[in-house]
């Protein structure tokens, strides 16, 4: 069991996933999360503002930025998943986390296409794309919870307790 825990804390590739105790995945996920949350705020704002087109177009750009950022985060996260021993609760949570994130990314890619194909629509974001964005953000929240479970409960890619304790020595 201790060997499994040590394996889940070590990177598959330092150059690609970050050094021991400093994984790249958590910092990369801030791009899609922030972009997609902001896109929903822009979507809602497009229903309130006097000039909704600016916010609707901004939301579409934020969705595109989020999809691109998610692809980068997914590549690194996939490599982190390889560090977790198969057949463990942490690995199963990692698979669900990955599956949800891929579904969310696909939903936002579809959302971007849906908006882009709605030529001639000038005004607030239509109800369909807005609803899709809200559902995708809800799934993203669940996936984020699972990612936190991996890091904070199971310690995946987190430095071991002896390394952590060094920060509290006087």
């Amino acid at each position: 069991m201790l060997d499994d825990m040590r394996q889940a804390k070590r990177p598959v590739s330092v150059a690609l996933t970050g050094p021991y105790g400093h994984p790249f995945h958590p910092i990369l996920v801030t791009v899609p999360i922030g972009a997609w949350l902001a896109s929903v705020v822009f979507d809602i704002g497009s229903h309130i503002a006097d000039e909704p087109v600016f916010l609707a177009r901004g939301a579409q750009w934020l969705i595109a930025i989020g999809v691109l950022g998610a692809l980068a985060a997914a590549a690194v996260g996939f490599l982190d998943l390889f560090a977790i021993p198969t057949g463990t609760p942490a690995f199963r949570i990692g698979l669900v986390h990955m599956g949800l994130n891929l579904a969310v990314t696909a939903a936002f890619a579809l959302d971007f296409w849906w908006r882009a194909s709605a030529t001639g629509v000038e005004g607030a974001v239509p109800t369909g794309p807005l609803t899709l964005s809200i559902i995708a953000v809800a799934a993203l929240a669940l996936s984020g919870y699972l990612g936190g479970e991996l890091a904070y409960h199971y310690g995946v890619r987190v430095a071991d307790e002896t390394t952590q304790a060094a920060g509290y020595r006087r």
Side-chain angles (χ1 to χ4, degrees):
M1 183 175 89
L2 282 175
D3 287 339
D4 285 347
M5 284 179 25
R6 285 188 189 103
Q7 177 183 335
K9 293 178 179 300
R10 298 289 173 186
V12 173
S13 165
V14 171
L16 297 176
T17 62
Y20 175 71
H22 295 279
F24 294 151
H25 182 69
I27 194 66
L28 289 174
V29 300
T30 62
V31 173
I33 291 170
W36 290 334
L37 286 174
S39 76
V40 171
V41 171
F42 277 38
D43 284 350
I44 294 167
S46 77
H47 287 271
I48 299 167
D50 292 334
E51 294 292 329
V53 176
F54 174 77
L55 291 171
R57 286 189 181 143
Q60 187 172 2
W61 279 104
L62 285 165
I63 289 169
I65 290 167
V67 169
L68 294 174
L71 294 175
V76 174
F78 188 67
L79 291 173
D80 284 348
L81 181 64
F82 280 139
I84 304 171
T86 59
T88 62
F91 187 77
R92 286 189 293 276
I93 289 173
L95 287 175
V96 173
H97 174 69
M98 179 185 70
L100 278 171
N101 284 329
L102 292 173
V104 167
T105 303
F108 274 110
L110 173 66
D111 197 352
F112 179 85
W113 173 82
W114 192 353
R115 292 165 191 243
S117 66
T119 56
V121 176
E122 294 292 325
V125 173
T127 305
L130 173 60
T131 303
L132 180 57
S133 289
I134 291 170
I135 291 168
V137 164
L140 182 64
L142 175 59
S143 179
Y145 172 83
L146 294 175
E149 185 82 0
L150 288 169
Y152 296 112
H153 187 76
Y154 292 113
V156 173
R157 293 292 324 269
V158 176
D160 61 52
E161 290 180 4
T162 305
T163 303
Q164 292 175 21
Y168 294 94
R169 291 192 194 109
R170 297 191 186 269

